[in-house]
Amino acid sequence: MLVTLLIATSVSAEWIPPKDGMTIVLTDEKGRTLKGFSGDYEIQVQVDVATPSGIKTLGHYRIKRSGFWKLDTTRGIVKVANLRKLLPSISEEKRYGVRISVWVIDRENGVLYRGIGSTLLSEKDLQGASKRVNIEILEKESLPKPNHAGWYHYEWRPAEDSWEAEDYVEVPLLIIDNRDGKGKLQGSISLRADYKTEFSATLAYGTNLEAKFKGGDPVKVLSSSVTIYGKKWVPVEGHYYFGDIVDVPKGNMGYIYILAKPYYRHEKEYICAWGMGAYGCSETGRERIDVGIYDVKASKGVNGYIIDGGSSLGSPDFDRTFFRFTKESLQHPLTANKGITLAYMFQAIGGKCGVKFGIGIPVGAIAVAFGAPAPVAGLAASVQYEKAGSVTIDGTIKENGPSVMIHAFKSSQKYKFKAGWFSSCSAEIPMGFYVKSS
């Protein structure tokens, strides 16, 4: 009886979050405690968080298998302390994202698994919170042998070419090319605060990307070098209002934008060893690219928060390599003075899968304008409602003039992402969102 009580007390204590910190309970895709796949394994974890000043690493953690023989009592719990040092406060309308990278080291079978999961933090969570985080296994390979004996761990480190916008910049949500049009083309887009708007990141995994991205055709290099995963974590979300209209005369381009802080995080995987005379870290060759938005500029209105933004004539201030990563997906005739909704176009372009991604916003192309390699221009983050797929972002395209043909574009690469609790899909996603007339 006493032993049972002590065990129960120990387990419950593990779940209690530290003050100003959080307890992360790792689970598999079926909601069960994350464990290894043999009798000899350990789980290594890296925790990063989005903050108003960029993406910050909170720490690295190790979960050793517990139990004996076939009885595995590993609980998959990580405790993160001192959140307020990196994230002192969060405004009431938003939540910031936590990205959890996982390595499952199966020594018995000689296999290394890489996975990722995420959660979100509100102002209330900074007082102490417990989070259950689903981990999705993305990669599996033979377990490399360390160069030296001793204990070692894996970690992701940002490369020197990584970039984060220090100030708010224009991030296009809708791009209209009316240079071949016949009359004025009008576009509008709006967000509703009764739904949470998520700014989701996109990750691309590959090997030796730094070398591969230095030359060749950017479109071919990207498609042959990486696997692209959309919506793997949400750096920032909130209840926001936003709306704007742009009138684009024939012979011109125009766009609608929000003010946000995009980022491009090029990360390299390292294996770090110490003990038994072995110290230091070395690259494994695995790399990944993470693009997204880590903060948006918003002001408090009478009935909620309003994202700052606007509209402008001309081409957006990003690298024009972006347009090479798009391909035509939809043609729709507009008769004189008629319009079409963005929701219709999203559904026609992406289908049931792609529409869940939302709008592919050109974060990669913005990063290339600030020095990232050209293939990054093909990577888009996304903006969508939390109920993506059941509710789509509002807006229209309207022709104020003679009949015209509208062309809408999607990505030239497929993005893999979860479409529900137990389902995933792969689709070419609405890109830009870029619309052209002819």
Side-chain angles (χ1 to χ4, degrees), residues 36 54 142 199 214 221 273 360 364 409:
S142 297
F199 294 90
K214 285 182 177 179
V221 169
F409 292 79

Side-chain angles (χ1 to χ4, degrees), residues 10-11 14-15 22-28 31-36 41-47 61-67 72-80 100-104 130-135:
S10 174
V11 171
E14 278 191 275
W15 284 70
M22 65 176 164
T23 295
I24 300 173
V25 183
L26 304 177
T27 66
D28 63 20
R32 303 170 301 194
T33 300
L34 181 67
K35 296 182 180 181
Y41 72 87
E42 71 174 70
I43 301 170
Q44 297 182 2
V45 184
Q46 177 173 325
V47 181
Y61 309 88
R62 182 187 183 195
I63 302 170
K64 296 184 67 177
R65 182 191 186 278
S66 58
D72 187 348
T73 58
T74 308
R75 283 187 281 272
I77 295 174
V78 168
K79 287 197 173 187
V80 180
I100 295 99
S101 302
V102 166
W103 296 262
V104 180
S130 293
K131 302 284 186 177
R132 291 182 68 86
V133 177
N134 171 264
I135 299 299

Side-chain angles (χ1 to χ4, degrees), residues 143-325:
L143 183 64
K145 292 184 178 180
N147 293 329
H148 304 280
W151 187 80
Y152 62 92
H153 76 273
Y154 289 93
E155 62 181 65
W156 291 106
R157 294 183 182 180
E160 291 183 358
D161 65 331
S162 297
W163 167 80
E164 295 174 344
E166 295 181 359
D167 299 314
Y168 295 104
V169 301
E170 294 181 3
V171 177
L173 298 185
L174 177 63
I175 305 166
I176 297 177
D177 186 345
N178 198 28
R179 289 176 294 179
D180 297 327
K182 299 175 182 178
K184 184 173 69 175
L185 201 59
Q186 184 183 79
S188 68
I189 194 167
S190 63
L191 301 173
R192 298 156 55 186
D194 45 340
Y195 299 105
K196 289 178 183 176
T197 297
E198 296 180 337
F199 294 90
S200 298
T202 289
L203 288 96
Y205 283 74
T207 302
N208 300 322
L209 298 182
E210 183 176 20
K212 292 176 180 178
F213 279 15
K214 285 182 177 179
D217 178 85
V219 178
K220 293 180 179 179
V221 169
L222 185 68
S223 63
S224 64
S225 301
V226 298
T227 302
I228 303 173
Y229 298 96
K231 300 177 65 173
K232 285 306 170 203
W233 75 298
V234 179
V236 64
E237 73 163 25
H239 289 279
Y240 294 115
Y241 290 102
F242 175 77
D244 215 317
I245 299 171
V246 62
D247 291 315
V248 185
K250 67 177 182 178
N252 288 271
M253 293 183 67
Y255 59 98
I256 295 174
Y257 64 88
I258 60 170
L259 292 176
K261 292 181 178 180
Y263 70 89
Y264 152 70
R265 193 173 172 93
H266 171 205
E267 296 177 316
K268 296 184 178 182
E269 184 187 66
Y270 285 78
I271 184 169
C272 301
W274 61 85
M276 301 291 290
Y279 298 93
C281 302
S282 59
E283 297 178 18
T284 68
R286 292 301 293 171
E287 300 180 28
R288 71 180 179 187
I289 294 170
D290 183 340
V291 296
I293 286 173
Y294 69 87
D295 203 16
V296 293
K297 187 176 183 181
S299 54
K300 191 169 185 178
V302 176
N303 296 310
Y305 282 78
I306 304 168
I307 295 179
D308 290 350
S311 62
S312 182
L313 292 180
S315 179
D317 189 16
F318 59 33
D319 190 272
R320 293 186 64 82
T321 307
F322 164 81
F323 295 106
R324 295 184 57 191
F325 288 95

Side-chain angles (χ1 to χ4, degrees), residues 327-368:
K327 65 180 183 180
E328 186 174 309
S329 176
L330 171 69
Q331 290 188 18
H332 184 84
L334 284 184
T335 56
N337 301 311
K338 295 295 183 179
I340 183 175
T341 65
L342 295 186
Y344 174 86
M345 289 191 284
F346 293 156
Q347 184 68 52
I349 291 172
K352 291 183 179 179
C353 174
V355 74
K356 296 178 182 294
F357 185 86
I359 298 176
I361 48 180
V363 171
I366 296 172
V368 172

